[in-house]
Amino acid sequence: MESEVVTGVTRIIPPRTSAGFEYTFPAIRGIQAGREFYVSMCPLRLIPKIFIFDEDELPPELRAQRLLNKGRLPALSKYILDNPDDYVFSALTASVDGEMKFDHHDTGGVGFRTGQLHIPMDSRFLINDGQHRRAAIDLALKENPDLGEETIAVVFFHDAGLARSQQMFADLNRHAVRPARSIGVLYDHRDSSAQVVRLMAGRSTVFKGFVEMEKSNLSARSRMMFTLSALYYGTQALLQGVEVKPDKMADLAQSYWEAIDKMLPEWGMVRNRTLSAAEMRRDFIHSHGIALHALGRVGNSLFRESTAPSAWKRRLTPLKKMDWTRSNPDWEGRAIVGGRVSKSHQNVTLTVNYLRTHLGLGLSPEEQRVEDAYLRGDA
């Protein structure tokens, strides 16, 4: 195989194919910004063969894509392999450095927009959007070649040079916004923790009507006490590695959070409308995500250490005497940094340590390391 610098981008060139050999894709023709483009369905087995990347060693200004984050690929590939009957991948977008010929089915109406797209096999295909999907498909095919006959949508544009390809990448990603984690939990029917949290949010007297199901941040005037994402992370930490039957997970989690509710009178005051949710969030930290996550980790330890069912409930009693107000100086540097609640991993661990100390629980080696650094002033 040879290589060639084309419009400032080094691309690997497959061996030149004899004239007349081409790819033929059933396609729909469209127009954007006065330029023709084509939408087709491509078998997965062809994706790794015809789509290439810019070489990693090129500086960013000479590439038309970001570097491939190989750490993302195992999870993406596993998603396909674990859900062969239920995975969803959006379209790839590619630029074609070669002549594209479109034979329409008819001269007018729908027939003018549908037809066959012919692309010479010695053309170069450059992915503008979807390089991680392409690489994940490659990995998945190596484990399950039967996926090769399935298809993915591909949008083909004519390659108008490096500057145009870079602009396409910028435009395609300019307005991309990752959805809030809460709505991701709300709509995720594969994740067992998400299922547990949705069930609790809908039936538990502690949470019903007081969980923000869509947003991951609460406005100052929101009447909600918790976000679904905060409850998700707290419950995920609570149940991690706990041996319980799948159909009992929601019951166990609900019983834990309802036991916590008895230790935190302000939660009940909000439900009874003697305290507003906004006032509680302003003056206390126990409904914030960091507190729920820390309480979940502590509950996980209690579940593992309990020798009898529900024995863990008695060990929560010291939480009644804890000062959860934001004005408590003990929270500064642990749950609060510079007057703001922090959700960093280190601050979650420091908050867990504080709870463990009040409950008479020991610290793990990693928790002790973080605690020692905090006490030395290194945190």
Side-chain angles (χ1 to χ4, degrees):
M1 257 185 210
E2 59 178 325
S3 65
E4 182 180 274
V5 177
V6 181
T7 61
V9 180
T10 301
R11 300 176 185 171
I12 302 302
I13 303 173
R16 291 286 178 175
T17 311
S18 300
F21 285 83
E22 61 185 16
Y23 295 108
T24 301
F25 301 96
I28 301 173
R29 174 167 50 188
I31 300 289
Q32 280 187 6
R35 296 183 177 92
E36 284 193 356
F37 71 98
Y38 309 94
V39 182
S40 182
M41 299 296 137
C42 185
L44 295 188
R45 58 183 168 78
L46 285 182
I47 296 299
K49 297 178 181 178
I50 65 176
F51 292 105
I52 61 173
F53 301 133
D54 296 331
E55 289 187 299
D56 291 353
E57 62 268 18
L58 283 177
E61 63 271 18
L62 295 182
R63 282 190 269 110
Q65 258 284 15
R66 57 189 160 192
L67 290 177
L68 190 69
N69 181 355
K70 296 180 180 179
R72 291 178 56 191
L73 302 185
L76 279 172
S77 177
K78 187 175 185 295
Y79 163 69
I80 303 173
L81 294 168
D82 288 354
N83 303 282
D85 300 321
D86 197 25
Y87 72 92
V88 178
F89 265 4
S90 57
L92 306 177
T93 301
S95 294
V96 180
D97 184 10
E99 182 182 358
M100 292 190 289
K101 179 183 177 183
F102 184 72
D103 290 335
H104 49 74
H105 289 148
D106 204 342
T107 56
V110 175
F112 184 72
R113 295 191 297 271
T114 61
Q116 300 289 325
L117 179 65
H118 303 275
I119 303 176
M121 284 189 176
D122 58 359
S123 298
R124 290 80 158 180
F125 297 78
L126 176 66
I127 291 182
N128 301 107
D129 183 59
Q131 63 169 344
H132 290 91
R133 274 164 277 156
R134 179 264 185 209
I137 288 169
D138 191 8
L139 283 178
L141 286 172
K142 290 174 181 176
E143 291 196 39
N144 184 3
D146 292 342
L147 291 169
E149 296 307 312
E150 299 199 359
T151 57
I152 187 170
V154 180
V155 183
F156 293 103
F157 289 88
H158 183 263
D159 189 340
L162 175 63
R164 175 60 183 164
S165 292
Q166 289 177 334
Q167 188 62 57
M168 286 176 64
F169 175 82
D171 290 346
L172 287 166
N173 290 276
R174 183 186 306 274
H175 302 295
V177 178
R178 187 180 181 89
R181 183 55 183 152
S182 284
I183 199 167
V185 172
L186 181 63
Y187 292 165
D188 193 339
H189 295 274
R190 292 194 180 96
D191 187 334
S192 59
S193 294
Q195 295 174 21
V196 166
V197 170
R198 288 196 303 271
L199 186 59
M200 284 197 306
R203 76 181 187 187
S204 174
T205 55
V206 174
F207 301 118
K208 189 174 182 179
F210 292 95
V211 176
E212 170 54 60
M213 305 295 283
E214 185 171 351
K215 301 175 183 177
S216 292
N217 292 292
L218 297 175
S219 66
R221 296 182 179 181
S222 174
R223 68 178 185 85
M224 300 298 173
M225 295 166 60
F226 319 95
T227 64
L228 189 66
S229 58
L231 186 57
Y232 168 83
Y233 288 119
T235 303
Q236 186 182 54
L238 174 69
L239 297 175
Q240 186 173 13
V242 175
E243 295 184 3
V244 59
K245 294 180 179 179
D247 60 343
K248 298 296 182 182
M249 291 176 66
D251 293 337
L252 179 61
Q254 183 171 326
S255 66
Y256 178 75
W257 292 118
E258 289 177 352
I260 291 293
D261 177 65
K262 292 181 172 62
M263 305 296 117
L264 308 176
E266 292 79 20
W267 287 12
M269 292 170 66
V270 173
R271 294 195 301 274
N272 295 333
R273 304 185 186 281
T274 57
L275 178 70
S276 73
E279 291 172 328
M280 184 193 68
R281 295 195 310 274
R282 182 194 65 198
D283 298 334
F284 298 86
I285 72 161
H286 47 42
S287 70
H288 288 263
I290 187 172
L292 295 181
H293 195 163
L295 286 166
R297 282 176 55 175
V298 167
N300 183 269
S301 296
L302 293 177
F303 285 167
R304 292 170 180 271
E305 295 175 13
S306 294
T307 56
S310 300
W312 51 267
K313 291 184 179 180
R314 295 190 297 273
R315 303 186 67 180
L316 292 174
T317 303
L319 291 179
K320 279 186 176 181
K321 299 181 180 180
M322 273 188 55
D323 183 357
W324 290 93
T325 60
R326 292 178 65 133
S327 59
N328 178 4
D330 290 347
W331 294 125
E332 182 59 41
R334 289 187 183 273
I336 298 175
V337 177
R340 298 178 64 89
V341 176
S342 171
K343 295 185 288 186
S344 73
H345 176 74
Q346 177 174 277
N347 289 112
V348 170
T349 299
L350 288 170
T351 303
V352 169
N353 293 352
Y354 190 73
L355 298 182
R356 289 192 190 282
T357 300
H358 276 74
L359 296 177
L361 301 174
L363 305 185
S364 70
E366 175 60 20
E367 290 167 344
Q368 189 64 59
R369 184 193 65 77
V370 173
E371 185 69 17
D372 291 343
Y374 170 75
L375 295 175
R376 290 194 307 267
D378 297 340

